[in-house]
Amino acid sequence: MKYMMKWSIKPDCYKGAVERFLSTGAPLPEGLKQIGRWHGPGSTCGWLLVEGSVEAAYEHAAEWGDLLEMSVTPVVEDAEAGAIAAKLYG
């Protein structure tokens, strides 16, 4: 399953979040593959698209929970969404 993880740095945690990111590279736990990661220029938010288990996505969110607020949303690509729409409405 793919998950879009939207993160925002908690107030007063910017320096700590940047330091951790620069020192670790924000590695993903086993069972999670990064498809892409984007940072909002000049902001405190970003997005991470991953593929893997919900447990691994939860683990990654929990690893950063002291510094970031994160929402995790399951997502499907156009082909998958189109097939479902065709089945229901086609």
Side-chain angles (χ1 to χ4, degrees):
M1 186 69 168
K2 292 183 179 84
Y3 301 92
M4 182 62 74
M5 303 177 81
K6 182 185 185 306
W7 53 266
S8 60
I9 300 173
K10 292 179 180 180
D12 300 323
C13 292
Y14 187 80
K15 185 177 180 187
V18 170
E19 287 173 350
R20 185 182 300 172
F21 175 72
L22 292 175
S23 68
T24 68
L28 298 173
E30 185 149 339
L32 209 56
K33 175 186 167 193
Q34 179 177 311
I35 297 171
R37 180 168 47 204
W38 303 269
H39 302 257
S43 73
T44 59
C45 68
W47 301 264
L48 172 63
L49 181 60
V50 296
E51 185 170 22
S53 70
V54 68
E55 293 86 0
Y58 181 88
E59 180 179 339
H60 188 61
E63 289 171 336
W64 285 86
D66 60 325
L67 299 171
L68 307 178
E69 293 180 5
M70 195 173 304
S71 64
V72 180
T73 305
V75 294
V76 296
E77 295 184 30
D78 282 353
E80 297 164 305
I84 293 167
K87 178 181 175 183
L88 295 173
Y89 305 106

